[in-house]
Amino acid sequence: HFVPAGDGWSTVTSKLNGRVWQPAGCGGVGAAIQTATADGSACQQFRIQPVGNVLIADAAMHQVLSALPVVRMTDRRPIGCQLWHFDVSSDAHYRIVDACTGRALTVHNGHLTLGSGAPPSAQWRIDPDATGTFQLVNRTGFSVDDVRLLAP
């Protein structure tokens, strides 16, 4: 399971033996993954990176984040702006972009909205929680709690 290591990074820990993933010899990209005793080193920390378009669903998977007409949770529909992709913005942060409009998910006056560019209000990190869901945390401190990232 994913255990938060801080600032958007996570440790992947076995529930069976408590060992964690790390690249062999703490190597970089392309190194084989092995398990090791947790020591908190940087090579034992990973960033969750969604690939392709995803649905951002509530914990019960009954509703998904929809971009139009306004950004809010709605019932899943076969059409509509409900697909998002995560573009790397900076170290462990992403721009969450609506696949329908190409605009970024931002925070304005405490509400989710669509914007442009990459201001802090459009930068998010993904933090796992103990229940198997994730928290999307904005650089402004605003968060969207208990979400699941699903393949469409």
Side-chain angles (χ1 to χ4, degrees):
H1 67 279
F2 293 103
V3 177
D7 295 325
W9 295 90
S10 300
T11 300
V12 183
T13 305
S14 169
K15 288 186 176 185
L16 297 176
N17 63 14
R19 293 175 62 85
V20 300
W21 284 3
Q22 78 174 30
C26 284
V29 174
I33 294 292
Q34 64 186 25
T35 62
T37 302
D39 63 16
S41 64
C43 73
Q44 294 179 346
Q45 298 175 17
F46 298 85
R47 181 179 63 196
I48 298 165
Q49 170 107 27
V51 176
N53 290 333
V54 298
L55 294 164
I56 299 173
D58 64 3
M61 296 183 283
H62 293 300
Q63 293 193 314
V64 296
L65 192 63
S66 202
L68 294 174
V70 295
V71 178
R72 64 186 172 96
M73 295 301 270
T74 62
D75 292 334
R76 189 172 174 179
R77 297 185 301 267
I79 58 171
C81 296
Q82 298 179 334
L83 295 176
W84 303 85
H85 62 269
F86 288 66
D87 293 338
V88 174
S89 171
S90 66
D91 187 40
H93 283 82
Y94 302 93
R95 285 180 70 237
I96 303 174
V97 178
D98 168 47
C100 184
T101 66
R103 296 173 63 199
L105 183 65
T106 63
V107 177
H108 182 71
N109 293 330
H111 298 283
L112 293 174
T113 186
L114 293 178
S116 58
S121 65
Q123 295 178 16
W124 301 83
R125 72 174 193 262
I126 305 168
D127 286 344
D129 65 23
T131 66
T133 62
F134 297 96
Q135 181 181 43
L136 302 177
V137 182
N138 189 270
R139 278 205 194 266
T140 65
F142 183 90
S143 66
V144 180
D145 299 332
D146 300 321
V147 298
R148 296 186 186 276
L149 305 175
L150 307 174

